[in-house]
């Protein structure tokens, strides 16, 4: 029982911190909107001449949401390293609380923050003629939580291996940006070179983007159009993310326990 | 009865031996102090005893629990005030306390009363709704002490608790620590490099380069350095030193350009000096022994920097935190 209470306590701190930081809430919205409109509008013109069968901004929209989920989940958790360098983590580590509860509290906190932030992005939908129904939002909510959870676990795993913020720049370059760009958010992953296919297959974000896209756009474009960009069925994507989350949370708990 | 038993505790960091085969006991209800210069290994010992760091070798019991195999029981028994700030500066003072109280399973019925008690103690009761970010370094320090107490630990670790506090707050805090010791039978383990603070302790371990050089009560330690110390500067120190050694057959130490001579009765010895010495003396001072002298006599050095390193002071005063 105390195990659950400890998770809630740690989770609550993450959520309070998020809600209190209005500037972060707004600035985190800025990047996806910028991606969507600059990339989207820029490429839409270029692609208009080709045989791309979709409105490009609509095509990118679910991917941008997924990237946002990943970014927020990742950064909220990696802040554990800041906590380590500047003390607060010590306060948590010295408390008589199971290490598993600490990991779960942190990861669920980041998941909540990432989902809240992503839900705000749904406000854009009407402006780009994307119709959302209650069912869509519900399905999306579930997929977002799953993606956010798995990425937070991955991030916590990295955070427990990293001791200082110094390697952070490197991490951005070799992990985060490639995961963003090879996720299918910016261009369809059909007819790409083999190496790219391989990399995108091991990228968890790919499965999130693919699921979000089918959930959001499936109901409003023809099956033929959606199939021309979709990689797997929504249930395959979901299954992958569940398995990935499960593996990640296990490794994260073990690593965190050993390294703290 | 011992609340802490440490045997051959050792910690190495990539070849550097920060704590070297340290053994000591802390008795229930006493104030036990570690005194030593920067880098002596004080915080490392605390980190090991509080389960934050695994020792390379050796073992320790805290409240009869093993620090390696019974971590959770050790954690339940202790309260800790770290050398560096470990508050969440986005939360209010009260939220920081509540977070802590929940993790330590303080019953919510008691929480309100205890929160009021500890906040009033450190004079932060009327600031409880403020975000930590706007607190001064000293206020943060006081809040951390309040937080370390709210779960009524059996054993309280204070790692340089008064760093960055003004003298008034420092005295106030010491009054409280002494009161806690008396009323709650709380055991306190503290580190400091303020010599005058060490004198509040029942027993002091002087630690240098990871080793306990000596461990005793402040009074006994002072007895150990023997007599009063006359510290003087001559027009020509070298020649003065020679004359002192020759004439009085005593050891003369040199420290910061001052010659130090240990005598039994300084008040009577000084006039003798003026009458007998051929060398001219520029300035002279008589000091009764302090722990400073104990340290000097044991290690040949002073605890140079009473105010702590620059980094410590920055941390203490400005409460540096990472960008968020
Ligand atoms: N995590 C670490 N990695 C490597 N070396 C460390 C680590 N922590 C401490 N040390 C080293 O161990 C030694 C003892 O450090 P410690 O912090 O215990 O000293 P201290 O007595 O608390 O000093 P101060 O009065 O400055 O707080 C120092 O030489 C320090 O550089
Ligand atoms: Mg220290």
């Amino acid at each position: 029982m105390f195990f659950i209470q400890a998770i809630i306590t740690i989770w609550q701190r993450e959520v309070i911190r998020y809600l209190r930081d209005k500037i972060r809430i707004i600035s985190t919205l800025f990047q996806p909107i910028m991606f969507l409109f600059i990339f989207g509008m820029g490429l839409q013109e270029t692609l208009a001449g080709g045989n791309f069968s979709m409105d490009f901004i609509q095509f990118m929209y679910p991917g941008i949401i997924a990237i946002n989920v990943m970014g927020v989940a990742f950064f909220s958790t990696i802040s554990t390293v800041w906590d380590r360098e500047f003390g607060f983590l010590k306060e948590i580590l010295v408390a008589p609380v199971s290490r598993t509860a600490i990991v779960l509290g942190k990861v669920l906190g980041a998941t909540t923050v990432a989902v809240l932030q992503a839900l705000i992005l749904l406000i854009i939908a009407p402006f780009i003629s994307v119709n959302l129904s209650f069912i869509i939002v519900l399905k999306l909510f579930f997929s977002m939580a799953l993606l956010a959870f798995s990425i937070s676990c991955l991030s916590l795993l990295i955070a427990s291996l990293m001791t200082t913020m110094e390697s952070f720049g490197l991490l951005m370059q070799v992990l985060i940006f490639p995961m963003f760009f090879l996720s299918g958010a910016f261009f369809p992953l059909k007819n790409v070179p083999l190496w790219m296919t391989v990399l995108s297959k091991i990228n968890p974000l790919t499965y999130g983007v693919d699921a979000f896209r089918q959930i959001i756009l499936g109901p409003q474009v023809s099956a033929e159009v959606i199939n021309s960009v979709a990689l797997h069925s929504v249930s395959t994507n979901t299954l992958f993310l569940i398995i990935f989350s499960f593996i990640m949370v296990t490794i994260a708990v073990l690593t965190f326990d050993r390294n703290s | 009865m011992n609340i802490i038993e440490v045997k051959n505790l050792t910690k190495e960091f990539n070849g550097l031996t920060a704590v070297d085969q340290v053994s000591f006991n802390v008795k229930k209800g006493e104030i036990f102090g570690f005194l030593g210069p920067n880098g002596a290994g004080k915080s490392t010992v605390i980190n090991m005893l509080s389960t934050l760091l695994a020792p390379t070798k050796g073992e320790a019991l805290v409240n009869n629990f093993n620090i390696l195999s019974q971590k959770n029981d050790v954690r339940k028994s202790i309260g800790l005030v770290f050398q560096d700030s470990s508050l969440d500066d986005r939360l209010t003072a009260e939220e920081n306390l509540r977070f802590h109280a929940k993790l330590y399973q303080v019953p919510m019925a008691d929480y309100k009363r205890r929160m009021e008690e500890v906040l009033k103690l450190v004079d932060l009761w009327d600031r409880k709704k403020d975000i930590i970010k706007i607190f001064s370094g000293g206020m943060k320090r006081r809040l951390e002490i309040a937080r370390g107490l709210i779960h009524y630990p059996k054993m309280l670790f204070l790692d340089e608790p008064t760093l960055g506090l003004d003298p008034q707050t420092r005295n106030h805090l010491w009054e409280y620590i002494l009161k806690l010791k008396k009323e709650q039978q709380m055991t306190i383990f503290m580190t400091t490099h303020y010599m005058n603070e060490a004198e509040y302790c029942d027993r002091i371990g002087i630690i240098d380069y990871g080793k306990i050089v000596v461990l005793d009560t402040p009074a006994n330690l002072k007895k150990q350095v023997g007599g009063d110390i006359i510290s003087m500067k001559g027009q020509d120190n070298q020649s003065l030193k020679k004359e002192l050694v020759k004439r009085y057959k005593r050891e003369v130490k040199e420290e910061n350009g001052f010659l130090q001579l240990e005598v039994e009765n300084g008040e009577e010895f000084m006039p003798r000096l003026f009458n007998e010495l051929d060398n001219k003396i520029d300035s002279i001072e008589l000091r009764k022994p302090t722990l400073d002298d104990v340290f000097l006599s044991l290690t040949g050095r002073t605890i140079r920097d009473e105010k702590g390193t620059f980094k410590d002071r920055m941390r203490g005063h400005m409460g540096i935190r990472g960008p968020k």
Side-chain angles (χ1 to χ4, degrees):
Chain A
M1 197 53 228
F2 174 62
F3 181 74
I4 309 263
Q5 209 216 299
I7 295 177
I8 294 174
T9 306
I10 293 167
W11 168 82
Q12 199 177 24
R13 166 184 173 243
E14 304 286 331
V15 176
I16 292 178
R17 281 172 65 91
Y18 165 74
L19 293 178
R20 203 157 275 173
D21 198 351
K22 303 285 184 301
I23 297 177
R24 176 170 147 214
I25 298 181
I26 292 172
S27 67
T28 315
L29 286 177
F30 187 72
Q31 192 212 28
I33 292 173
M34 192 182 67
F35 268 145
L36 195 60
F37 288 96
I38 297 182
F39 267 99
M41 289 191 168
L43 287 170
Q44 191 161 35
E45 286 309 303
T46 316
L47 291 172
N51 57 359
F52 191 67
S53 48
M54 246 174 171
D55 177 281
F56 193 67
I57 296 188
Q58 287 188 359
F59 167 82
M60 271 183 65
Y61 179 58
I64 295 296
I65 295 178
I67 283 189
N68 196 247
V69 168
M70 154 145 180
V72 175
F74 198 88
F75 291 114
S76 312
T77 322
I78 207 85
S79 69
T80 310
V81 182
W82 272 124
D83 276 356
R84 184 201 300 271
E85 264 189 290
F86 295 95
F88 194 77
L89 189 64
K90 279 196 193 166
E91 152 78 357
I92 299 180
L93 288 181
V94 84
V97 172
S98 103
R99 309 293 103 165
T100 309
I102 297 177
V103 170
L104 291 178
K106 279 256 165 203
V107 164
L108 290 173
T111 303
T112 308
V113 168
V115 170
L116 286 177
Q117 191 77 26
L119 286 176
I120 302 178
L121 285 178
L122 296 184
I123 297 170
I124 302 173
F127 299 99
I128 56 172
S129 317
V130 168
N131 305 314
L132 295 177
S133 66
F134 177 71
I135 288 295
I136 295 179
V137 174
L138 201 66
K139 283 184 186 165
L140 206 51
F141 178 83
F142 178 71
S143 296
M144 282 172 177
L146 202 53
L147 177 66
F149 184 78
S150 61
I151 298 292
S152 307
C153 291
L154 172 70
S155 174
L156 192 84
L157 174 62
I158 294 172
S160 40
L161 297 171
M162 244 164 89
T163 46
T164 63
M165 227 45 198
E166 275 154 31
S167 33
F168 190 71
L170 186 71
L171 191 68
M172 283 299 289
Q173 305 296 332
V174 304
L175 189 71
I176 308 304
F177 286 144
M179 278 175 81
F180 281 179
F181 294 127
L182 293 174
S183 65
F186 297 96
F187 51 85
L189 287 169
K190 297 221 161 160
N191 312 318
V192 292
L194 182 66
W195 66 267
M196 211 184 258
T197 309
V198 172
L199 286 180
S200 65
K201 279 227 157 70
I202 54 171
N203 180 0
L205 185 58
T206 309
Y207 299 83
V209 170
D210 198 40
F212 287 15
R213 185 169 289 140
Q214 291 174 68
I215 293 170
I216 296 177
L217 299 180
Q220 72 175 53
V221 301
S222 71
E224 195 188 336
V225 170
I226 199 79
N227 285 336
S228 71
V229 291
L231 301 171
H232 315 282
S233 69
V234 172
S235 36
T236 309
N237 286 319
T238 307
L239 187 67
F240 175 89
L241 288 176
I242 289 176
I243 294 173
F244 183 76
S245 297
F246 192 75
I247 296 173
M248 277 301 136
V249 77
T250 311
I251 305 179
V253 166
L254 293 176
T255 315
F256 187 80
D257 204 1
R258 194 168 54 84
N259 287 22
S260 56
Chain B
M1 206 173 100
N2 294 327
I3 192 160
I4 294 185
E5 296 185 5
V6 177
K7 233 183 158 165
N8 295 326
L9 204 62
T10 301
K11 181 71 195 179
E12 287 167 18
F13 293 111
N14 328 305
L16 173 115
T17 309
V19 175
D20 194 358
Q21 306 251 9
V22 161
S23 302
F24 62 92
N25 296 327
V26 175
K27 290 184 207 137
K28 207 166 185 168
E30 77 174 335
I31 301 184
F32 181 91
F34 258 1
L35 177 70
N38 289 139
K42 305 180 294 291
S43 300
T44 308
V45 170
I46 290 198
N47 285 343
M48 288 191 282
L49 294 181
S50 58
T51 75
L52 282 175
L53 205 60
T56 313
K57 276 201 292 276
E59 52 191 81
L61 298 180
V62 173
N63 198 22
N64 286 323
F65 298 115
N66 187 298
I67 57 163
L68 277 175
S69 57
Q70 295 167 295
K71 287 194 175 124
N72 213 50
D73 294 309
V74 172
R75 289 174 185 141
K76 271 188 196 152
S77 318
I78 63 175
L80 192 51
V81 175
F82 297 100
Q83 184 170 357
D84 305 306
S85 173
S86 65
L87 297 166
D88 186 331
D89 64 356
R90 294 274 176 76
L91 301 186
T92 64
E94 208 224 302
E95 283 165 342
N96 267 287
L97 292 183
R98 191 179 322 153
F99 181 86
H100 186 91
K102 279 189 179 163
L103 291 189
Y104 284 80
Q105 301 188 61
V106 175
M108 276 301 128
D110 295 342
Y111 166 70
K112 280 251 143 45
R113 182 179 47 78
R114 290 201 204 175
M115 175 194 60
E116 184 170 344
E117 175 190 320
V118 293
L119 279 180
K120 283 193 169 147
L121 170 87
V122 294
D123 280 333
L124 287 173
W125 175 242
D126 50 344
R127 304 296 299 263
K128 64 177 187 293
K129 293 244 172 338
D130 286 349
I131 302 261
I132 303 307
K133 219 179 219 167
I134 63 165
F135 273 22
S136 76
M139 288 161 73
K140 287 185 193 169
R141 203 78 202 132
R142 275 145 55 199
L143 182 63
E144 269 181 290
I145 290 163
R147 185 180 68 180
L149 293 170
I150 199 169
H151 61 287
Y152 291 170
K154 290 216 164 50
M155 172 81 227
L156 182 65
F157 288 94
L158 300 169
D159 199 352
E160 315 215 1
T162 54
L163 194 77
L165 296 186
D166 56 46
Q168 195 187 337
T169 314
R170 191 179 290 198
N171 289 340
H172 186 60
L173 191 73
W174 269 109
E175 266 168 41
Y176 181 68
I177 292 178
L178 295 171
K179 192 176 120 195
L180 273 181
K181 177 199 159 186
K182 212 164 112 200
E183 289 178 3
Q184 311 253 354
Q185 302 285 302
M186 195 180 285
T187 312
I188 294 162
F189 183 135
M190 58 165 303
T191 76
T192 183
H193 40 217
Y194 293 104
M195 294 288 180
N196 57 345
E197 265 184 17
E199 310 210 4
Y200 288 110
C201 299
D202 295 304
R203 287 188 309 143
I204 298 168
I206 293 188
I207 177 165
D208 195 28
Y209 292 119
K211 285 200 165 90
I212 295 188
V213 192
V214 67
L215 199 164
D216 215 329
T217 62
N220 282 345
L221 287 176
K222 279 192 241 165
K223 241 181 254 160
Q224 204 173 318
V225 266
D228 302 351
I229 292 187
I230 295 177
S231 146
M232 68 195 101
K233 192 154 96 185
Q235 265 175 359
D236 178 353
N237 264 355
Q238 286 320 306
S239 126
L240 176 61
K241 190 171 177 178
K242 268 194 207 118
E243 187 185 353
L244 286 170
V245 173
K246 205 171 128 209
R247 197 180 286 273
Y248 301 109
K249 308 271 182 297
R250 285 170 207 268
E251 197 191 344
V252 177
K253 283 187 186 140
E254 194 161 353
E255 171 67 33
N256 297 330
F258 278 84
L259 299 176
Q260 302 197 336
L261 189 68
E262 204 180 298
V263 298
E264 291 72 42
N265 194 335
E267 289 87 347
E268 289 172 16
F269 201 87
M270 276 220 288
R272 259 180 78 194
L273 278 180
F274 296 136
N275 290 333
E276 295 171 2
L277 285 184
D278 299 327
N279 273 279
K280 281 233 157 65
I281 295 176
D282 279 350
S283 77
I284 189 160
E285 187 192 17
L286 169 66
R287 276 189 299 125
K288 297 287 184 184
T290 65
L291 287 169
D292 248 316
D293 305 307
V294 178
F295 190 81
L296 177 65
S297 84
L298 287 167
T299 64
R301 293 176 291 119
T302 49
I303 294 196
R304 295 161 301 273
D305 187 7
E306 275 235 358
K307 293 194 183 68
T309 61
F310 178 67
K311 211 168 90 196
D312 289 340
R313 260 179 289 142
M314 293 294 280
R315 281 191 202 130
H317 292 311
M318 326 205 11
I320 285 193
R321 307 272 306 180
K324 289 291 143 73

